[in-house]
Amino acid sequence: MQYVAGMALGQEIPAVSELVPSFQTSPDRYRHWKLKLDGEVARLSMDVQEEEGLRKDYTLKLNSYDLGVDVELADAILRLRFEHPEVRAVVITSLKDRIFCAGANIFMLGTASHPFKVNFCKFTNETRLAIEDASAHSGLKFIAALNGTASGGGYELALACDEILLIDDGSSAVSLPEVPLLGVLPGTGGLTRVVDKRKVRRDLADFFSTVAEGVKGKRAVEWRLVDQAVPKSKFEQVVADRARALAAKSDRPKAERGMPLGPIDDHRFVTVKLNPQLRVAELTVKAPDAAAPSSPAQLLEQGSDAWVVRAFRELDDALLRLRMNHLDVGTVVLRTQGDPARVLEHDRFVASHREHWLVREVLALQKRVLKRLDLTSKTLFAFIEPGSCFAGSLLELALAADRSYMLDDSRRPTALQLGPLNDGLLPMSNGLSRLQTRMLAEPQRVKEILSHPGPFGPEEALAAGLCTFTPDDLDWDDELRIALEERASLSPDALTGMENNLRFAGPETLETKIFGRLSAWQNWIFQRPNAVGERGALTLYGQAGQRPHFDVRRT
Amino acid sequence: MQYVAGMALGQEIPAVSELVPSFQTSPDRYRHWKLKLDGEVARLSMDVQEEEGLRKDYTLKLNSYDLGVDVELADAILRLRFEHPEVRAVVITSLKDRIFCAGANIFMLGTASHPFKVNFCKFTNETRLAIEDASAHSGLKFIAALNGTASGGGYELALACDEILLIDDGSSAVSLPEVPLLGVLPGTGGLTRVVDKRKVRRDLADFFSTVAEGVKGKRAVEWRLVDQAVPKSKFEQVVADRARALAAKSDRPKAERGMPLGPIDDHRFVTVKLNPQLRVAELTVKAPDAAAPSSPAQLLEQGSDAWVVRAFRELDDALLRLRMNHLDVGTVVLRTQGDPARVLEHDRFVASHREHWLVREVLALQKRVLKRLDLTSKTLFAFIEPGSCFAGSLLELALAADRSYMLDDSRRPTALQLGPLNDGLLPMSNGLSRLQTRMLAEPQRVKEILSHPGPFGPEEALAAGLCTFTPDDLDWDDELRIALEERASLSPDALTGMENNLRFAGPETLETKIFGRLSAWQNWIFQRPNAVGERGALTLYGQAGQRPHFDVRRT
């Protein structure tokens, strides 16, 4: 990945650097989690090292976490899916005594810039959704074994699991203390999952979300906040029993070997070039440089350098770095390069073997990365140029874009092409394919477009509604330049709000509720003096004798 | 309505008073709209008087509007429903030359306080939704006859209509210039309706929402932004034809007389008492003091003082005043008083005659008012005490509450009782009844509860999940006081965000998308320096030579 160094960060330079060194890790480098494999049940234990936060100006007490802790969690879940097909149930627990997890570190949050807070919450939300995705689509079931109190983000992590077992020791509770203690919302899906996933009655949820000490024991079960409250003496046994019971429901294979995920430090298929003047990042995804695997077994042989895996891991990495480390990039230009036939050949391999456990993981990875693209708060423009390969899975990049520009020049032809993965196998957060979302007005056209023989040239693509504009070679450079300049002149906040409202037409899901409704409210609160002002609740938390001061006007 | 005067408005007193003198008006007092009745087609023409805004520090040029203009619009739509059953289609147009409506007045918005902006947008959104509700449920169809440019809120008003006809005169356009000109979102449902109601393709919507000058003529039709672009010479004829065609689809009655809506200045059924120490408003709704009408004809005789109409109009008025004029009220205590049998008797009348055009309007009014309650950014606690009548339509108040407290004292019995209106006839914005939303976890219990014979005492109500807590007489006073004090101690912003996330579990609709996703993002943007800071786009709009200055970090 090529980065031009030294882009300005905007006018409010945070007091401490918030650059994230890397989103890549591996179990041998984990500092905060222990992954223990034991046949069909894995144990993922949180043991946050207080002094090993990403920044040194806070201490990660009581299994509180920062982004570094969550990057490890995301990595562990990804590796369980690819590297350990034998694992059918994962027990998420803690190695600390009487505490499962205290949630996101408050001093970290209190001193973070607004964009960092927002991006941090987005990443942790994506990680929680990846847990639910693994359960729904990979037969990997999760048990939250709360061996102590789970508060805030700790309870939200539990909410993402299939079952929540809480130790019944007279003191351990689940809680969402954000509103009463910090004047902010539980930012990782908590409110949504409480009423929409666990279907806790709304008045009980109201009470629960306003009592800092939370709810424990029998009441937590009665209110549906946890599935069981288990006496200490039986806790490990019940966890083991439930893990086995959930494992029995899994359709993961027996006695298969996994695919180790190698490093992707040196990007081969995804490059990013920054253009600081226009605040643009030009992101190019290259087509496969080799034939598709002939079978899942051959894919396993090729390992994680196979295009279907590596290209999407690199894209994921590039998106995360753009989001967190390049805040002043407002527009991402999406380009592709290479032979579209190669892309479609790889897509066909994925589509036809998607019942195979490993290929299923590949498809799920591609799906999640493309969702990450949809959820990236940057304008996305696709430039469809000669030599590009917007076909199949890479066509999704153009369909994810806020606009697409396709060169119409008979001497330098361009094309878009559909393949089997465009037919619902890579759904957006709203549950529809990008093509369906695009064609909400005329759903019957989805089928027509999918059955179109061969590629779409510019005129056909325009008529089919697959691209936005088709400038000719005389206009191309100017039109693109003007589009990028105009975009750069608009309010970055208004664009974020606008794109969030236009990208997700159609049905709403738990995911879109979390990223639309919940996150938007949280972002609002993260701006309010009542939370982040000098005397705001988040700012003052933990300062002895200091009480927050509120503007009492209800808004 | 009893108001204690002089409650402090919080620390940031706005430079000008934002108190709204009244939400009640009538056609003879309209300043900005002309309502012309002509058989089955009514004409509602916007003719905003520049100097007659609610405040005198802005001028309502180009049919731009402030809250006063929208209060008249809301009144006109309500009266068309109740007073003019013969009207089947409404043409919304403008009396200004070459301009339909320029949207919300920008200088008004730019100088308004944050809470006022948010409440203003909420009210205008509710008015637009009332238009769509009248079309869906009353057979009252709306045509936006855009005889000139409709920009921003002007186009959003058109989007709420069933059909949009745009004059094709070479210059008149529809536009959403908020993002490019003001750095905010179109705040009245525009983005949502463009992609979700009119199903404009998302990339076209993106382009449209970033070009200040908008889109006109044939392109506006092709992009689905309007239904027809009509040459000037034929405009009036086509509007008339379309109005007749839509009127033909209406099921409104012929030759019926309407019910004039009398004044409600002196509240009879709804009282509000303010408790400034706890920042609480105690809102009490009284049961009917007379028997239910025996027939729709008798209801018509009784006129708008009949309880089924008047009590809900008063409740609506009280809610609007609490929202706009009592910002520092954080909690509304909901009480009822009177004979529950009377309430149920009136409910049965409404339920059994709901196919009658007038009773249909009554039911729709009750539904809309209760939705306004759900959407009020104040904590709602229902106190169920001896002498209360939380039955049927008034039970909805308790079901709308964030929590309910029911006295459990055998000497002073309390009860909750269901009636025919609780069975889906008064749905929330999410399309479910409040009972269904409450019972998401156990949908089968809805039927059980509805078929329960007679009232629920405290124990039964608690077991059925109809109330939250049942303190006994020893605990009652303390528990309520503590609940109110605790609530008053929490961040008003965090409570607003929390309640907005907990109240609307279950499915999402256009309405919940507008109030959840769109409004939450808009509220965020309304806080951002890029919009409202000293050099923000909204602040600087219209100041010659001043360009906004943006923090370019994408969030």
Side-chain angles (χ1 to χ4, degrees), chain A residues 515-542:
Chain A
F515 290 116
R517 177 185 285 266
L518 179 67
S519 298
W521 281 110
Q522 177 77 311
N523 293 356
W524 175 69
I525 291 165
F526 275 162
Q527 280 285 297
R528 298 280 285 167
N530 283 344
V532 299
E534 266 179 48
R535 300 176 66 189
L538 184 62
T539 309
L540 291 184
Y541 181 77

PDB file of all heavy atoms in Angstrom, chain A residues 515-542:
ATOM      1  N   PHE A 515     -26.296   0.999  12.633  1.00  0.00           N
ATOM      2  CA  PHE A 515     -25.444   2.002  11.979  1.00  0.00           C
ATOM      3  C   PHE A 515     -26.209   3.271  11.621  1.00  0.00           C
ATOM      4  O   PHE A 515     -25.630   4.335  11.475  1.00  0.00           O
ATOM      5  CB  PHE A 515     -24.770   1.418  10.740  1.00  0.00           C
ATOM      6  CG  PHE A 515     -23.727   0.398  11.070  1.00  0.00           C
ATOM      7  CD1 PHE A 515     -23.859  -0.921  10.687  1.00  0.00           C
ATOM      8  CD2 PHE A 515     -22.604   0.761  11.798  1.00  0.00           C
ATOM      9  CE1 PHE A 515     -22.903  -1.861  11.004  1.00  0.00           C
ATOM     10  CE2 PHE A 515     -21.635  -0.169  12.126  1.00  0.00           C
ATOM     11  CZ  PHE A 515     -21.787  -1.482  11.727  1.00  0.00           C
ATOM     12  N   GLY A 516     -27.523   3.155  11.416  1.00  0.00           N
ATOM     13  CA  GLY A 516     -28.296   4.342  11.079  1.00  0.00           C
ATOM     14  C   GLY A 516     -28.764   5.035  12.331  1.00  0.00           C
ATOM     15  O   GLY A 516     -28.201   6.022  12.786  1.00  0.00           O
ATOM     16  N   ARG A 517     -29.782   4.476  12.947  1.00  0.00           N
ATOM     17  CA  ARG A 517     -30.423   5.101  14.095  1.00  0.00           C
ATOM     18  C   ARG A 517     -29.491   5.239  15.306  1.00  0.00           C
ATOM     19  O   ARG A 517     -29.194   6.340  15.752  1.00  0.00           O
ATOM     20  CB  ARG A 517     -31.646   4.249  14.467  1.00  0.00           C
ATOM     21  CG  ARG A 517     -32.405   4.668  15.669  1.00  0.00           C
ATOM     22  CD  ARG A 517     -33.513   3.650  15.960  1.00  0.00           C
ATOM     23  NE  ARG A 517     -34.610   3.768  15.042  1.00  0.00           N
ATOM     24  CZ  ARG A 517     -35.709   4.505  15.279  1.00  0.00           C
ATOM     25  NH1 ARG A 517     -35.809   5.176  16.403  1.00  0.00           N
ATOM     26  NH2 ARG A 517     -36.677   4.562  14.408  1.00  0.00           N
ATOM     27  N   LEU A 518     -29.010   4.115  15.810  1.00  0.00           N
ATOM     28  CA  LEU A 518     -28.249   4.155  17.062  1.00  0.00           C
ATOM     29  C   LEU A 518     -26.971   4.974  16.921  1.00  0.00           C
ATOM     30  O   LEU A 518     -26.684   5.849  17.730  1.00  0.00           O
ATOM     31  CB  LEU A 518     -27.919   2.726  17.506  1.00  0.00           C
ATOM     32  CG  LEU A 518     -27.110   2.611  18.796  1.00  0.00           C
ATOM     33  CD1 LEU A 518     -27.923   3.075  19.994  1.00  0.00           C
ATOM     34  CD2 LEU A 518     -26.661   1.176  19.025  1.00  0.00           C
ATOM     35  N   SER A 519     -26.196   4.691  15.871  1.00  0.00           N
ATOM     36  CA  SER A 519     -24.916   5.388  15.726  1.00  0.00           C
ATOM     37  C   SER A 519     -25.119   6.871  15.463  1.00  0.00           C
ATOM     38  O   SER A 519     -24.341   7.699  15.924  1.00  0.00           O
ATOM     39  CB  SER A 519     -24.097   4.767  14.592  1.00  0.00           C
ATOM     40  OG  SER A 519     -23.807   3.426  14.890  1.00  0.00           O
ATOM     41  N   ALA A 520     -26.177   7.212  14.705  1.00  0.00           N
ATOM     42  CA  ALA A 520     -26.409   8.624  14.424  1.00  0.00           C
ATOM     43  C   ALA A 520     -26.738   9.368  15.715  1.00  0.00           C
ATOM     44  O   ALA A 520     -26.240  10.469  15.957  1.00  0.00           O
ATOM     45  CB  ALA A 520     -27.529   8.778  13.409  1.00  0.00           C
ATOM     46  N   TRP A 521     -27.565   8.765  16.562  1.00  0.00           N
ATOM     47  CA  TRP A 521     -27.856   9.407  17.849  1.00  0.00           C
ATOM     48  C   TRP A 521     -26.612   9.502  18.705  1.00  0.00           C
ATOM     49  O   TRP A 521     -26.363  10.500  19.365  1.00  0.00           O
ATOM     50  CB  TRP A 521     -28.949   8.640  18.609  1.00  0.00           C
ATOM     51  CG  TRP A 521     -30.321   8.941  18.116  1.00  0.00           C
ATOM     52  CD1 TRP A 521     -31.141   8.099  17.421  1.00  0.00           C
ATOM     53  CD2 TRP A 521     -31.050  10.181  18.242  1.00  0.00           C
ATOM     54  NE1 TRP A 521     -32.325   8.734  17.115  1.00  0.00           N
ATOM     55  CE2 TRP A 521     -32.301  10.005  17.617  1.00  0.00           C
ATOM     56  CE3 TRP A 521     -30.760  11.406  18.823  1.00  0.00           C
ATOM     57  CZ2 TRP A 521     -33.254  11.018  17.554  1.00  0.00           C
ATOM     58  CZ3 TRP A 521     -31.715  12.412  18.771  1.00  0.00           C
ATOM     59  CH2 TRP A 521     -32.938  12.213  18.135  1.00  0.00           C
ATOM     60  N   GLN A 522     -25.826   8.441  18.703  1.00  0.00           N
ATOM     61  CA  GLN A 522     -24.602   8.458  19.497  1.00  0.00           C
ATOM     62  C   GLN A 522     -23.656   9.542  18.997  1.00  0.00           C
ATOM     63  O   GLN A 522     -23.075  10.281  19.781  1.00  0.00           O
ATOM     64  CB  GLN A 522     -23.926   7.078  19.431  1.00  0.00           C
ATOM     65  CG  GLN A 522     -22.606   6.989  20.159  1.00  0.00           C
ATOM     66  CD  GLN A 522     -22.799   6.894  21.679  1.00  0.00           C
ATOM     67  OE1 GLN A 522     -23.528   7.656  22.293  1.00  0.00           O
ATOM     68  NE2 GLN A 522     -22.149   5.931  22.272  1.00  0.00           N
ATOM     69  N   ASN A 523     -23.539   9.668  17.682  1.00  0.00           N
ATOM     70  CA  ASN A 523     -22.646  10.693  17.147  1.00  0.00           C
ATOM     71  C   ASN A 523     -23.118  12.080  17.579  1.00  0.00           C
ATOM     72  O   ASN A 523     -22.322  12.962  17.875  1.00  0.00           O
ATOM     73  CB  ASN A 523     -22.593  10.612  15.620  1.00  0.00           C
ATOM     74  CG  ASN A 523     -21.940   9.334  15.145  1.00  0.00           C
ATOM     75  OD1 ASN A 523     -21.453   8.543  15.950  1.00  0.00           O
ATOM     76  ND2 ASN A 523     -21.939   9.113  13.843  1.00  0.00           N
ATOM     77  N   TRP A 524     -24.442  12.255  17.574  1.00  0.00           N
ATOM     78  CA  TRP A 524     -25.008  13.532  18.032  1.00  0.00           C
ATOM     79  C   TRP A 524     -24.593  13.782  19.485  1.00  0.00           C
ATOM     80  O   TRP A 524     -24.073  14.842  19.822  1.00  0.00           O
ATOM     81  CB  TRP A 524     -26.533  13.478  17.908  1.00  0.00           C
ATOM     82  CG  TRP A 524     -27.269  14.663  18.442  1.00  0.00           C
ATOM     83  CD1 TRP A 524     -27.274  15.929  17.927  1.00  0.00           C
ATOM     84  CD2 TRP A 524     -28.119  14.707  19.609  1.00  0.00           C
ATOM     85  NE1 TRP A 524     -28.083  16.752  18.692  1.00  0.00           N
ATOM     86  CE2 TRP A 524     -28.612  16.033  19.732  1.00  0.00           C
ATOM     87  CE3 TRP A 524     -28.511  13.759  20.549  1.00  0.00           C
ATOM     88  CZ2 TRP A 524     -29.477  16.428  20.752  1.00  0.00           C
ATOM     89  CZ3 TRP A 524     -29.376  14.157  21.566  1.00  0.00           C
ATOM     90  CH2 TRP A 524     -29.844  15.473  21.663  1.00  0.00           C
ATOM     91  N   ILE A 525     -24.768  12.776  20.312  1.00  0.00           N
ATOM     92  CA  ILE A 525     -24.455  12.938  21.736  1.00  0.00           C
ATOM     93  C   ILE A 525     -22.965  13.168  21.941  1.00  0.00           C
ATOM     94  O   ILE A 525     -22.560  13.942  22.799  1.00  0.00           O
ATOM     95  CB  ILE A 525     -24.971  11.713  22.518  1.00  0.00           C
ATOM     96  CG1 ILE A 525     -26.506  11.736  22.513  1.00  0.00           C
ATOM     97  CG2 ILE A 525     -24.433  11.689  23.938  1.00  0.00           C
ATOM     98  CD1 ILE A 525     -27.162  10.444  22.929  1.00  0.00           C
ATOM     99  N   PHE A 526     -22.161  12.509  21.107  1.00  0.00           N
ATOM    100  CA  PHE A 526     -20.703  12.686  21.193  1.00  0.00           C
ATOM    101  C   PHE A 526     -20.273  14.117  20.862  1.00  0.00           C
ATOM    102  O   PHE A 526     -19.102  14.462  20.990  1.00  0.00           O
ATOM    103  CB  PHE A 526     -19.992  11.717  20.243  1.00  0.00           C
ATOM    104  CG  PHE A 526     -19.745  10.340  20.813  1.00  0.00           C
ATOM    105  CD1 PHE A 526     -19.463   9.281  19.963  1.00  0.00           C
ATOM    106  CD2 PHE A 526     -19.754  10.092  22.177  1.00  0.00           C
ATOM    107  CE1 PHE A 526     -19.216   8.003  20.456  1.00  0.00           C
ATOM    108  CE2 PHE A 526     -19.510   8.831  22.681  1.00  0.00           C
ATOM    109  CZ  PHE A 526     -19.242   7.786  21.814  1.00  0.00           C
ATOM    110  N   GLN A 527     -21.186  14.905  20.336  1.00  0.00           N
ATOM    111  CA  GLN A 527     -20.885  16.304  20.027  1.00  0.00           C
ATOM    112  C   GLN A 527     -21.410  17.247  21.088  1.00  0.00           C
ATOM    113  O   GLN A 527     -21.153  18.443  21.048  1.00  0.00           O
ATOM    114  CB  GLN A 527     -21.628  16.705  18.728  1.00  0.00           C
ATOM    115  CG  GLN A 527     -20.961  16.266  17.478  1.00  0.00           C
ATOM    116  CD  GLN A 527     -19.772  17.128  17.201  1.00  0.00           C
ATOM    117  OE1 GLN A 527     -19.882  18.317  16.982  1.00  0.00           O
ATOM    118  NE2 GLN A 527     -18.607  16.527  17.235  1.00  0.00           N
ATOM    119  N   ARG A 528     -22.249  16.751  21.977  1.00  0.00           N
ATOM    120  CA  ARG A 528     -22.997  17.640  22.859  1.00  0.00           C
ATOM    121  C   ARG A 528     -22.174  18.014  24.089  1.00  0.00           C
ATOM    122  O   ARG A 528     -21.536  17.151  24.717  1.00  0.00           O
ATOM    123  CB  ARG A 528     -24.290  16.951  23.302  1.00  0.00           C
ATOM    124  CG  ARG A 528     -25.212  16.621  22.145  1.00  0.00           C
ATOM    125  CD  ARG A 528     -25.994  17.800  21.687  1.00  0.00           C
ATOM    126  NE  ARG A 528     -27.072  18.124  22.617  1.00  0.00           N
ATOM    127  CZ  ARG A 528     -27.747  19.274  22.574  1.00  0.00           C
ATOM    128  NH1 ARG A 528     -27.436  20.189  21.674  1.00  0.00           N
ATOM    129  NH2 ARG A 528     -28.723  19.493  23.430  1.00  0.00           N
ATOM    130  N   PRO A 529     -22.211  19.287  24.461  1.00  0.00           N
ATOM    131  CA  PRO A 529     -21.492  19.709  25.667  1.00  0.00           C
ATOM    132  C   PRO A 529     -21.881  18.896  26.902  1.00  0.00           C
ATOM    133  O   PRO A 529     -21.048  18.670  27.780  1.00  0.00           O
ATOM    134  CB  PRO A 529     -21.913  21.174  25.828  1.00  0.00           C
ATOM    135  CG  PRO A 529     -22.272  21.619  24.435  1.00  0.00           C
ATOM    136  CD  PRO A 529     -22.854  20.406  23.768  1.00  0.00           C
ATOM    137  N   ASN A 530     -23.116  18.408  26.961  1.00  0.00           N
ATOM    138  CA  ASN A 530     -23.523  17.612  28.119  1.00  0.00           C
ATOM    139  C   ASN A 530     -22.678  16.348  28.277  1.00  0.00           C
ATOM    140  O   ASN A 530     -22.587  15.793  29.365  1.00  0.00           O
ATOM    141  CB  ASN A 530     -25.003  17.213  28.011  1.00  0.00           C
ATOM    142  CG  ASN A 530     -25.925  18.368  28.363  1.00  0.00           C
ATOM    143  OD1 ASN A 530     -25.493  19.354  28.949  1.00  0.00           O
ATOM    144  ND2 ASN A 530     -27.184  18.250  27.985  1.00  0.00           N
ATOM    145  N   ALA A 531     -22.093  15.876  27.174  1.00  0.00           N
ATOM    146  CA  ALA A 531     -21.202  14.715  27.252  1.00  0.00           C
ATOM    147  C   ALA A 531     -19.739  15.155  27.214  1.00  0.00           C
ATOM    148  O   ALA A 531     -18.953  14.781  28.082  1.00  0.00           O
ATOM    149  CB  ALA A 531     -21.485  13.734  26.111  1.00  0.00           C
ATOM    150  N   VAL A 532     -19.402  15.974  26.209  1.00  0.00           N
ATOM    151  CA  VAL A 532     -17.972  16.205  25.945  1.00  0.00           C
ATOM    152  C   VAL A 532     -17.499  17.615  26.249  1.00  0.00           C
ATOM    153  O   VAL A 532     -16.338  17.948  26.011  1.00  0.00           O
ATOM    154  CB  VAL A 532     -17.629  15.842  24.482  1.00  0.00           C
ATOM    155  CG1 VAL A 532     -17.910  14.374  24.217  1.00  0.00           C
ATOM    156  CG2 VAL A 532     -18.400  16.725  23.490  1.00  0.00           C
ATOM    157  N   GLY A 533     -18.388  18.476  26.760  1.00  0.00           N
ATOM    158  CA  GLY A 533     -17.945  19.813  27.142  1.00  0.00           C
ATOM    159  C   GLY A 533     -17.038  19.760  28.366  1.00  0.00           C
ATOM    160  O   GLY A 533     -16.828  18.695  28.959  1.00  0.00           O
ATOM    161  N   GLU A 534     -16.542  20.904  28.749  1.00  0.00           N
ATOM    162  CA  GLU A 534     -15.623  20.954  29.894  1.00  0.00           C
ATOM    163  C   GLU A 534     -16.241  20.350  31.145  1.00  0.00           C
ATOM    164  O   GLU A 534     -15.552  19.769  31.969  1.00  0.00           O
ATOM    165  CB  GLU A 534     -15.246  22.407  30.196  1.00  0.00           C
ATOM    166  CG  GLU A 534     -13.974  22.825  29.517  1.00  0.00           C
ATOM    167  CD  GLU A 534     -13.652  24.280  29.829  1.00  0.00           C
ATOM    168  OE1 GLU A 534     -13.699  24.650  31.016  1.00  0.00           O
ATOM    169  OE2 GLU A 534     -13.388  25.030  28.883  1.00  0.00           O
ATOM    170  N   ARG A 535     -17.555  20.559  31.284  1.00  0.00           N
ATOM    171  CA  ARG A 535     -18.231  20.006  32.456  1.00  0.00           C
ATOM    172  C   ARG A 535     -19.186  18.884  32.061  1.00  0.00           C
ATOM    173  O   ARG A 535     -20.143  18.587  32.766  1.00  0.00           O
ATOM    174  CB  ARG A 535     -18.946  21.129  33.218  1.00  0.00           C
ATOM    175  CG  ARG A 535     -17.949  22.202  33.693  1.00  0.00           C
ATOM    176  CD  ARG A 535     -18.644  23.381  34.359  1.00  0.00           C
ATOM    177  NE  ARG A 535     -19.283  22.970  35.605  1.00  0.00           N
ATOM    178  CZ  ARG A 535     -20.112  23.759  36.303  1.00  0.00           C
ATOM    179  NH1 ARG A 535     -20.401  24.970  35.857  1.00  0.00           N
ATOM    180  NH2 ARG A 535     -20.658  23.327  37.415  1.00  0.00           N
ATOM    181  N   GLY A 536     -18.928  18.280  30.911  1.00  0.00           N
ATOM    182  CA  GLY A 536     -19.758  17.175  30.447  1.00  0.00           C
ATOM    183  C   GLY A 536     -19.487  15.906  31.232  1.00  0.00           C
ATOM    184  O   GLY A 536     -18.427  15.735  31.845  1.00  0.00           O
ATOM    185  N   ALA A 537     -20.441  14.997  31.194  1.00  0.00           N
ATOM    186  CA  ALA A 537     -20.350  13.785  32.012  1.00  0.00           C
ATOM    187  C   ALA A 537     -19.206  12.881  31.573  1.00  0.00           C
ATOM    188  O   ALA A 537     -18.504  12.298  32.408  1.00  0.00           O
ATOM    189  CB  ALA A 537     -21.681  13.025  31.960  1.00  0.00           C
ATOM    190  N   LEU A 538     -18.984  12.764  30.273  1.00  0.00           N
ATOM    191  CA  LEU A 538     -17.892  11.904  29.799  1.00  0.00           C
ATOM    192  C   LEU A 538     -16.548  12.515  30.175  1.00  0.00           C
ATOM    193  O   LEU A 538     -15.632  11.817  30.623  1.00  0.00           O
ATOM    194  CB  LEU A 538     -18.011  11.721  28.275  1.00  0.00           C
ATOM    195  CG  LEU A 538     -17.016  10.775  27.615  1.00  0.00           C
ATOM    196  CD1 LEU A 538     -17.173   9.352  28.134  1.00  0.00           C
ATOM    197  CD2 LEU A 538     -17.198  10.764  26.092  1.00  0.00           C
ATOM    198  N   THR A 539     -16.444  13.825  30.016  1.00  0.00           N
ATOM    199  CA  THR A 539     -15.193  14.516  30.339  1.00  0.00           C
ATOM    200  C   THR A 539     -14.830  14.359  31.811  1.00  0.00           C
ATOM    201  O   THR A 539     -13.671  14.131  32.155  1.00  0.00           O
ATOM    202  CB  THR A 539     -15.338  16.022  30.038  1.00  0.00           C
ATOM    203  OG1 THR A 539     -15.840  16.171  28.714  1.00  0.00           O
ATOM    204  CG2 THR A 539     -14.007  16.748  30.187  1.00  0.00           C
ATOM    205  N   LEU A 540     -15.825  14.485  32.674  1.00  0.00           N
ATOM    206  CA  LEU A 540     -15.543  14.539  34.113  1.00  0.00           C
ATOM    207  C   LEU A 540     -15.492  13.174  34.778  1.00  0.00           C
ATOM    208  O   LEU A 540     -15.139  13.083  35.952  1.00  0.00           O
ATOM    209  CB  LEU A 540     -16.595  15.403  34.823  1.00  0.00           C
ATOM    210  CG  LEU A 540     -16.557  16.902  34.527  1.00  0.00           C
ATOM    211  CD1 LEU A 540     -17.588  17.621  35.375  1.00  0.00           C
ATOM    212  CD2 LEU A 540     -15.159  17.467  34.800  1.00  0.00           C
ATOM    213  N   TYR A 541     -15.830  12.121  34.034  1.00  0.00           N
ATOM    214  CA  TYR A 541     -15.923  10.811  34.686  1.00  0.00           C
ATOM    215  C   TYR A 541     -14.619  10.456  35.407  1.00  0.00           C
ATOM    216  O   TYR A 541     -13.536  10.582  34.843  1.00  0.00           O
ATOM    217  CB  TYR A 541     -16.265   9.709  33.681  1.00  0.00           C
ATOM    218  CG  TYR A 541     -16.391   8.373  34.358  1.00  0.00           C
ATOM    219  CD1 TYR A 541     -17.510   8.054  35.087  1.00  0.00           C
ATOM    220  CD2 TYR A 541     -15.349   7.453  34.305  1.00  0.00           C
ATOM    221  CE1 TYR A 541     -17.616   6.843  35.756  1.00  0.00           C
ATOM    222  CE2 TYR A 541     -15.440   6.241  34.962  1.00  0.00           C
ATOM    223  CZ  TYR A 541     -16.572   5.945  35.680  1.00  0.00           C
ATOM    224  OH  TYR A 541     -16.671   4.742  36.338  1.00  0.00           O
ATOM    225  N   GLY A 542     -14.771  10.022  36.618  1.00  0.00           N
ATOM    226  CA  GLY A 542     -13.612   9.552  37.372  1.00  0.00           C
ATOM    227  C   GLY A 542     -12.866  10.656  38.097  1.00  0.00           C
ATOM    228  O   GLY A 542     -11.921  10.392  38.827  1.00  0.00           O
TER     229      GLY A 542
END
